């Protein structure tokens, strides 16, 4: 009997080895009475949780500030925030660990982190376009299949060889195949977050990477579901795993055919322009909780249901955007990082054997190289440039939340011990720390827009088509923009090709969309803003009677990456001029109504990267009741401010083209610095103006007037006296250094407009004048040099020979002279 008892005690001791039992008083309060009542606040679960969340968030933010200049992602910072307080660093000291992160608080902290992760994945699913999973590109499918099978097969072969010939711990030997299989995963939430941080979502590479990962998610979810059914089977029969797999399929179908129709019913009951009802939002959040519970009920992980539910919610406004906005700050910004930190808290590097480290390192490195090769093979077959295919392979090697969830599941299921878990977590941190700055170093999308040929209005050859990319942000600016397009003077000999691009902010979804509107598209039943804008542009096209053509697009993306769409279309369509909307909009009373700083940032990015000339249209037409040039006999008064420089030359070239329109009166106001008559710049610019005068010698509506001024004060006064006499003013963005501009730029509010443009956009100028600020195409960051030795062409290409010279006038402009 004694021997049996001893054996039983031994079995019990072995069973509870490495297990910590925590006893808690069920009648204790979850709140603290405070220091003044002689109670330790950290003894209560609520106070302790608040301290833990605060410390983790603050430390993660501080680490992020330090790591961001090194090109690191926020995931690395948040992971390190947990590692610092875990047993690998500060938590190794028992006093600190028992004070801030005691064992008794583990369940509460992990539960909060779990809720944050669950809603984060639901939000990630809502942001993604599930249509790409149902209808993926052929090349995306090929890349995903190649990546999946090669990254699974070849590293598994290496794993089997290492298990046979390399000495290692038994725990690592048994876990190595499972860890190897995890290297296959490339999930859309991870890659989507990385692309968003790197501002690559709008690039061709970013779109392809997201398409590949979304198809890969289908294979990954299927593999994980089957693996959990098989690995969790404790019986000797295959019937239980088969039932679990069938139940999993039934659960996914129930989400598609039960939950989704209910969500669509709510969506159809949302009135246009109205916010989503709070009851709808709460109902969908309850659906998330129910799906998480049902996932656990069918022996799957609780995250499966919320992720699939997120996929079936229609992305974008009104419903998808509202849900994401509700979740973005609290769940994504606070509780989701807690899960990452919790993984760091469980990581103990002191349990790692040095031999195991290099074995794991070899395996992860080999898997990464195989994945890059497996991606490059089909990518180059589908004509993806070799460099881009290589970078795509690196992007798909990104690790993140998906891998951490799997490692935590395997640790709880005893598949991984503390050593293998620590190695796996550090492999995620190291891989992300390498991949993120490497992508920044290797891939710069702006280099694709570097212009090799001149693409300006000034250098446009005779009888060539002028191609204009007109970017529209809202409907109010459409009448002024159409007036500008009309006075551009499309003729049979010199047609105009308009590429209309409606700029729409991406809200509530990850996938940026570039919609190409076909001429046969019918917008009769569509009230979207882009549809009204496209209709107005088509009316301009129809009125031109074949002299102007239209291609319409809608860019739905974040402002921070929207410039990629603008520059890419400008490059592909060989555009000569991009017209951008100004970021300020005027109210009817003449004051500035709205200011969109994100749009200003986009404009500055386009100015820096555009492969052609760029104009920013400052629209004040609303103040004066903009008159349509298309439908009236109104004479449109245009002025060109010419001080000197490449940008003013572009403005002069555009104005000269407008002067040929029968309804346009053009005045070129040239400002000359007193006492600077003999300078080389003055002579060169005089020759340029002379050529345009010769080209328009028979046009009485083309007038050049000159004003000699001594300083910026006089220049500003003369320009201010002109604003009430014109409908549109063309000005260059940047000018050569001149005493005329001294002191005028000290109080500049909009540096992207240049000194004169900023002055005309000031609220101090009470007028209804619209202004087009032009920047001539930059090559290598510098203006096109009009006087290079290799350039044997004249300064303009449409000057008729042997024309007589016209005189010039001093500026005397009167508002009474307007027709």
């Amino acid at each position: 009997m004694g021997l049996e008892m001893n054996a039983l005690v031994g079995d019990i001791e072995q069973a509870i080895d490495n297990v910590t039992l925590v006893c808690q008083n069920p009648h204790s309060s979850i709140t603290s009475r405070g220091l003044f009542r002689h109670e330790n606040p950290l003894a209560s679960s609520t106070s302790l949780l608040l301290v833990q969340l605060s410390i983790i968030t603050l430390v993660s933010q501080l680490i992020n500030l330090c790591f961001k200049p090194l090109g690191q992602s926020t995931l690395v910072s948040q992971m390190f925030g947990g590692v610092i307080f875990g047993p690998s660093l500060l938590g190794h000291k028992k006093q600190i660990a028992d004070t801030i992160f005691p064992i008794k608080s583990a369940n509460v902290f992990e539960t909060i982190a779990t809720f944050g992760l669950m809603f984060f994945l639901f939000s990630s699913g809502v942001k993604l376009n599930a249509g790409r999973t149902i209808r993926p590109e052929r090349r995306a499918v090929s890349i995903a299949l190649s990546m999946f099978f090669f990254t699974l097969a070849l590293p598994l072969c290496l794993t089997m060889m290492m298990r046979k010939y390399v000495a290692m711990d038994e725990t690592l030997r048994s876990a190595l195949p499972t860890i190897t299989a995890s290297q296959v995963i490339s999930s859309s939430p991870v890659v989507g977050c990385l692309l968003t941080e790197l501002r690559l979502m709008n690039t061709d590479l970013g779109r392809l990477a997201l398409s590949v990962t979304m198809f890969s998610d289908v294979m990954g979810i299927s593999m994980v579901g089957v693996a959990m059914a098989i690995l969790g089977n404790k019986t000797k029969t295959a019937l239980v795993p088969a039932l679990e797999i069938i139940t999993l399929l039934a659960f996914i179908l129930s989400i598609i055919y039960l939950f989704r129709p209910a969500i669509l019913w709510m969506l159809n009951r949302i009135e246009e322009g109205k916010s989503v009802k709070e009851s709808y939002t709460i109902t969908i959040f309850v659906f998330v909780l129910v799906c998480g519970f049902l996932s656990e009920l069918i022996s799957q992980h609780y995250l499966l249901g919320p992720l699939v539910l997120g996929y079936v919610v229609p992305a974008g406004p009104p419903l998808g955007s509202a849900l994401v906005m509700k979740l973005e700050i609290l769940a994504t910004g606070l509780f989701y990082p807690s899960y990452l930190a919790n993984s760091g808290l469980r990581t103990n590097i002191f349990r790692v054997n040095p031999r195991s480290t290099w074995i794991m390192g070899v395996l992860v490195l080999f898997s990464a190289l195989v994945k890059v090769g497996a991606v490059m093979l089909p990518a180059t077959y589908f004509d993806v440039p070799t460099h881009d295919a290589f970078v795509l392979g690196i992007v798909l090697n990104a690790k993140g939340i998906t891998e951490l969830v799997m490692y935590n599941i395997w640790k709880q299921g005893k598949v991984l011990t503390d050593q293998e878990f620590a190695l796996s977590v550090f492999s995620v941190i190291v891989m992300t720390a390498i991949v993120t700055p490497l992508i920044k170093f290797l891939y710069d999308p702006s280099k694709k827009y570097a212009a090799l040929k001149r693409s300006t209005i000034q250098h446009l050859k005779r009888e060539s088509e002028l191609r204009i990319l007109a970017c529209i942000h809202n409907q109010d600016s459409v009448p002024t923009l159409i007036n500008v397009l009309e006075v551009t003077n499309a003729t049979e000999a010199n047609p105009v090709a308009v590429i209309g691009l409606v700029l729409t902010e991406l809200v509530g979804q990850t996938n940026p969309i570039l919609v190409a509107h076909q001429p046969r598209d019918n917008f009769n039943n569509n009230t979207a803003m882009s549809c009204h804008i496209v209709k107005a542009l088509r009316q301009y096209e129809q009125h031109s009677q074949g002299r102007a053509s239209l291609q319409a697009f809608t860019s739905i993306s974040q402002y921070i990456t929207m410039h990629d769409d603008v520059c890419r279309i400008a490059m592909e369509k060989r555009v000569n001029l991009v017209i951008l909307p100004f970021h300020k909009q005027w109210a009817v009373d003449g004051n500035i109504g709205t200011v969109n700083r994100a749009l200003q940032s986009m404009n500055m990015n386009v100015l820096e990267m555009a492969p052609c000339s760029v104009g920013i249209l400052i629209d004040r037409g609303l103040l004066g009741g903009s008159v349509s040039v298309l439908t009236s006999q109104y004479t449109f008064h245009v002025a060109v401010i010419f001080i000197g420089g490449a940008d003013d030359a572009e403005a002069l070239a555009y104005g000269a083209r407008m002067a040929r329109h029968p309804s346009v009166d053009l005045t070129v106001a040239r400002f000359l610095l007193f006492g600077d008559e003999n300078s080389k710049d003055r002579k060169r610019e005089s020759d340029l103006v002379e050529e345009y005068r010769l080209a328009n010698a028979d046009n009485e509506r083309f007038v050049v007037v000159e004003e000699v001024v001594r300083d910026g004060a006089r220049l500003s006064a003369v320009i201010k006296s002109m604003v009430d006499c014109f409908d549109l003013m063309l000005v260059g963005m940047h000018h050569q250094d001149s005493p005329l501009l001294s002191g005028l730029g000290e109080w500049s509010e909009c540096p992207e407009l240049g000194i004169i443009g900023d002055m005309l956009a000031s609220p101090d100028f009470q007028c209804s004048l619209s202004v087009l600020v032009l920047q001539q195409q930059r090559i290598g960051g510098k203006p096109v040099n009009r006087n290079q030795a290799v350039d044997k062409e004249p300064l303009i290409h449409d000057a008729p020979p042997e024309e007589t010279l016209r005189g010039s006038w001093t500026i005397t402009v009167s508002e009474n002279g307007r027709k």
Side-chain angles (χ1 to χ4, degrees):
M1 186 71 177
L3 293 175
E4 293 177 357
M5 287 295 296
N6 289 336
L8 181 60
V9 170
D11 291 340
I12 294 174
E13 289 178 349
Q14 185 177 1
I16 65 174
D17 186 34
N18 293 327
V19 175
T20 302
L21 301 178
V22 179
C23 300
Q24 290 184 308
N25 181 8
H27 303 292
S28 62
S29 175
I30 63 171
T31 59
S32 171
R33 300 174 65 188
L35 293 173
F36 293 106
R37 300 194 180 181
H38 309 289
E39 284 192 6
N40 180 9
L42 298 182
S44 72
S45 57
T46 302
S47 300
L48 185 59
L49 176 64
L50 296 176
V51 170
Q52 290 171 340
L53 291 175
S54 301
I55 290 177
I56 287 292
T57 303
L58 289 175
V59 171
S60 298
Q61 292 298 324
L62 289 175
I63 296 175
N64 190 44
L65 288 176
C66 298
F67 281 10
K68 198 168 185 179
L70 302 176
Q72 296 301 328
S73 69
T74 55
L75 182 137
V76 175
S77 307
Q78 291 161 349
M79 288 287 296
F80 263 109
V83 171
I84 285 176
F85 293 101
S88 299
L89 291 173
L90 296 179
H92 191 60
K93 293 186 175 296
K94 191 173 185 302
Q95 185 177 2
I96 296 177
D98 291 344
T99 302
I100 303 177
F101 290 96
I103 296 175
K104 67 178 183 179
S105 69
N107 281 342
V108 177
F109 186 79
E110 190 170 345
T111 301
I112 292 294
T114 294
F115 269 91
L117 178 62
M118 185 166 61
F119 280 100
F120 168 78
L121 288 181
F122 169 72
S123 176
S124 299
V126 173
K127 292 178 184 178
L128 295 172
N129 183 2
R132 292 193 178 187
T133 307
I134 301 171
R135 299 179 298 274
E137 299 178 74
R138 184 183 169 192
R139 62 175 180 172
V141 173
S142 301
I143 294 172
L145 290 174
S146 173
M147 177 183 69
F148 186 86
F149 289 112
F150 280 106
T151 312
L152 183 63
L154 296 182
L156 274 179
C157 293
L158 177 64
T159 298
M160 297 307 171
M161 293 176 62
M162 294 177 71
R163 292 180 68 191
K164 185 174 182 180
Y165 298 107
V166 178
M168 64 181 74
D169 297 339
E170 286 301 319
T171 55
L172 180 61
R173 189 186 303 275
S174 61
L176 212 54
T178 306
I179 297 174
T180 302
S182 70
Q183 305 303 311
V184 175
I185 296 174
S186 293
S187 68
S188 54
V190 172
V191 173
C193 290
L194 177 65
L195 293 174
T196 301
E197 280 199 41
L198 296 178
R199 302 180 184 180
L200 298 178
M201 192 66 79
N202 267 31
T203 62
D204 292 334
L205 181 73
R207 295 172 193 270
L208 178 58
L210 205 57
S211 297
V212 171
T213 55
M214 291 193 69
F215 185 77
S216 182
D217 283 347
V218 176
M219 295 186 292
I221 290 174
S222 303
M223 184 182 73
V224 170
V226 173
M228 290 190 69
I230 296 174
L231 295 177
N233 182 28
K234 302 300 182 182
T235 65
K236 295 182 180 180
T237 176
L239 181 61
V240 174
L243 288 175
E244 288 186 14
I245 294 173
I246 294 172
T247 308
L248 172 62
L249 293 174
F251 174 56
I252 293 175
L253 291 175
S254 69
I255 291 178
I256 296 173
Y257 293 106
L258 292 180
F259 288 94
R260 177 175 167 80
I263 293 172
L264 292 178
W265 179 84
M266 299 179 201
L267 177 63
N268 293 331
R269 292 178 65 87
I270 300 173
E271 298 180 17
E272 184 181 355
K274 298 291 184 66
S275 59
V276 179
K277 291 183 179 179
E278 187 174 347
S279 58
Y280 293 170
T281 304
I282 293 174
T283 302
I284 293 175
F285 287 168
V286 171
F287 285 173
V288 175
L289 301 177
V290 170
C291 288
F293 168 72
L294 293 177
S295 300
E296 293 271 301
L297 191 65
I298 61 173
S299 302
Q300 294 295 326
H301 198 267
Y302 63 86
L303 296 176
L304 175 66
L307 180 60
V308 176
L309 181 66
Y311 282 143
V312 304
V313 175
L319 186 59
S321 305
L323 294 175
V324 170
M325 290 178 65
K326 298 281 187 182
L327 295 171
E328 198 70 32
I329 298 177
L330 193 61
T332 305
L334 182 64
F335 294 137
Y336 158 67
S338 302
Y339 186 88
L340 299 177
N342 186 56
S343 299
L345 288 170
R346 297 169 128 192
T347 304
N348 189 354
I349 60 172
F350 296 104
R351 297 291 181 91
V352 177
N353 186 334
R355 180 189 293 271
S356 302
T357 303
W358 76 259
I359 292 174
M360 187 75 169
V362 169
L363 176 64
V364 172
L365 179 61
F366 180 74
S367 300
L369 294 176
V370 170
K371 182 176 286 189
V372 171
V375 168
M376 290 185 67
L377 283 175
T380 51
Y381 174 79
F382 284 99
D383 298 326
V384 177
T386 304
H387 177 266
D388 288 5
F390 178 71
V391 177
L392 178 62
I394 295 175
V395 170
L396 295 176
N397 265 300
K399 307 293 181 186
I401 187 63
T402 307
E403 288 79 10
L404 292 177
V405 169
M406 292 187 62
Y407 297 147
N408 277 282
I409 294 172
W410 290 340
K411 188 176 187 300
Q412 292 173 355
K414 308 299 182 184
V415 176
L416 303 180
T417 63
D418 287 345
Q419 173 185 248
E420 288 76 51
F421 180 77
L423 288 171
S424 301
V425 169
F426 272 101
S427 72
V428 172
I429 296 176
V430 171
M431 185 63 71
T432 306
I434 294 173
V435 162
T436 308
L438 190 60
I439 296 171
K440 289 182 177 180
F441 176 75
L442 292 175
Y443 190 74
D444 182 5
S446 64
K447 291 182 179 179
K448 293 186 175 183
Y449 311 133
L452 301 177
K453 296 181 180 180
R454 290 182 301 191
S455 184
T456 69
I457 299 176
Q458 182 191 359
H459 298 93
L460 187 66
K461 293 185 178 181
R462 184 186 306 174
E463 297 184 357
S464 296
E465 183 181 57
L466 175 62
R467 306 179 71 82
I468 298 176
L469 174 58
C471 302
I472 306 133
H473 179 248
N474 57 55
Q475 300 179 63
D476 295 337
S477 62
V478 172
T480 300
L481 177 63
I482 290 181
N483 278 345
V484 172
L485 295 176
E486 171 60 23
V487 299
T488 300
N489 191 36
T491 63
E492 293 182 3
N494 299 100
V496 174
V498 177
I499 297 95
L501 180 62
V502 183
L503 306 177
T504 304
E505 183 182 10
L506 180 72
V507 180
Q509 62 185 99
T510 300
N511 307 70
I513 302 172
L514 183 63
V515 181
H517 299 287
Q518 303 301 324
R520 61 181 178 276
D521 287 347
N522 185 3
F523 297 127
N524 291 335
N525 298 322
N526 200 322
T527 57
M529 180 192 71
S530 60
C531 301
H532 294 306
I533 293 173
V534 173
K535 283 182 180 179
L537 292 175
R538 284 184 180 171
Q539 288 179 358
Y540 158 74
E541 180 188 27
Q542 293 168 3
H543 188 273
S544 68
Q545 298 177 347
R547 298 184 297 270
S549 60
L550 171 68
Q551 290 178 279
F553 298 87
T554 295
S555 171
I556 305 174
S557 60
Q558 296 176 343
Y559 283 118
I560 202 168
T561 58
M562 197 175 283
H563 62 275
D564 283 316
D565 277 343
V566 176
C567 294
R568 181 155 60 97
I569 293 176
M571 175 67 75
E572 292 176 356
K573 301 298 181 181
R574 303 187 306 280
V575 168
N576 304 106
L577 175 65
V578 174
I579 299 179
L580 300 171
F582 189 46
H583 68 278
K584 294 181 181 180
Q585 187 174 353
W586 273 261
V588 178
D589 59 1
N591 295 318
I592 294 176
T594 58
V595 178
N596 190 334
R597 294 298 177 188
L599 187 62
Q600 181 185 25
S601 178
M602 185 210 76
N603 287 346
M604 296 176 76
N605 287 331
V606 173
L607 288 169
E608 183 180 349
M609 301 180 187
C612 59
S613 297
V614 181
I616 297 179
L617 181 59
I618 304 169
D619 176 24
R620 277 192 169 119
L622 181 66
L623 305 181
S626 181
V627 179
S628 174
V629 182
L630 288 176
T631 58
S632 69
Q633 300 299 318
Y634 176 76
T635 299
F636 201 71
H637 299 270
V638 181
V640 175
I641 303 296
F642 190 90
I643 298 173
D647 295 347
D648 278 6
E650 189 76 357
L652 179 59
Y654 198 15
R657 182 182 178 107
M658 290 181 176
R660 301 180 203 134
H661 193 285
S663 299
V664 171
D665 269 348
L666 178 76
T667 301
V668 179
R670 187 185 180 196
F671 291 90
L672 304 173
L673 177 64
F674 178 79
D676 194 35
E677 294 83 359
N678 298 321
S679 69
K680 293 182 180 179
D681 289 337
R682 169 84 67 92
K683 184 179 184 306
R684 183 169 61 249
E685 289 156 3
S686 296
D687 291 342
L688 176 66
V689 175
E690 197 72 21
E691 282 198 50
Y692 280 103
R693 267 203 300 222
L694 288 170
N696 293 273
D698 58 346
N699 185 358
E700 296 181 354
R701 290 173 286 99
F702 184 95
V703 178
V704 179
V705 292
E706 296 177 348
E707 178 80 2
V708 179
V709 292
R710 294 177 178 269
D711 52 29
R714 177 57 182 166
L715 173 67
S716 176
V718 174
I719 293 177
K720 193 168 185 178
S721 68
M722 295 171 58
V723 295
D724 291 326
C725 305
F726 297 95
D727 300 292
L728 175 67
M729 188 170 286
L730 307 179
V731 301
M733 193 169 293
H734 305 290
H735 302 87
Q736 57 194 5
D737 294 334
S738 170
L740 286 179
L741 304 176
S742 61
L744 294 180
E746 294 180 359
W747 305 101
S748 177
E749 295 181 5
C750 307
E752 74 275 14
L753 298 179
I755 295 175
I756 303 300
D758 180 73
M759 181 174 64
L760 291 169
S762 172
D764 297 335
F765 277 67
Q766 298 292 332
C767 61
S768 60
L769 171 78
S770 293
V771 181
L772 183 61
V773 184
L774 292 162
Q775 172 186 276
Q776 195 176 69
Q777 175 196 19
R778 265 51 176 161
I779 294 182
K782 298 179 180 179
V784 176
N785 188 351
R786 304 187 304 278
N787 305 297
Q788 292 176 346
V790 296
D791 187 5
K792 301 299 183 183
E793 302 176 47
L795 294 176
I796 61 174
H797 295 274
D798 51 357
E802 300 178 0
E803 293 285 356
T804 58
L805 178 67
R806 297 185 69 195
S808 53
W809 298 263
T810 302
I811 293 182
T812 53
V813 193
S814 171
E815 189 174 359
N816 295 328
R818 296 184 68 173
K819 296 180 182 180

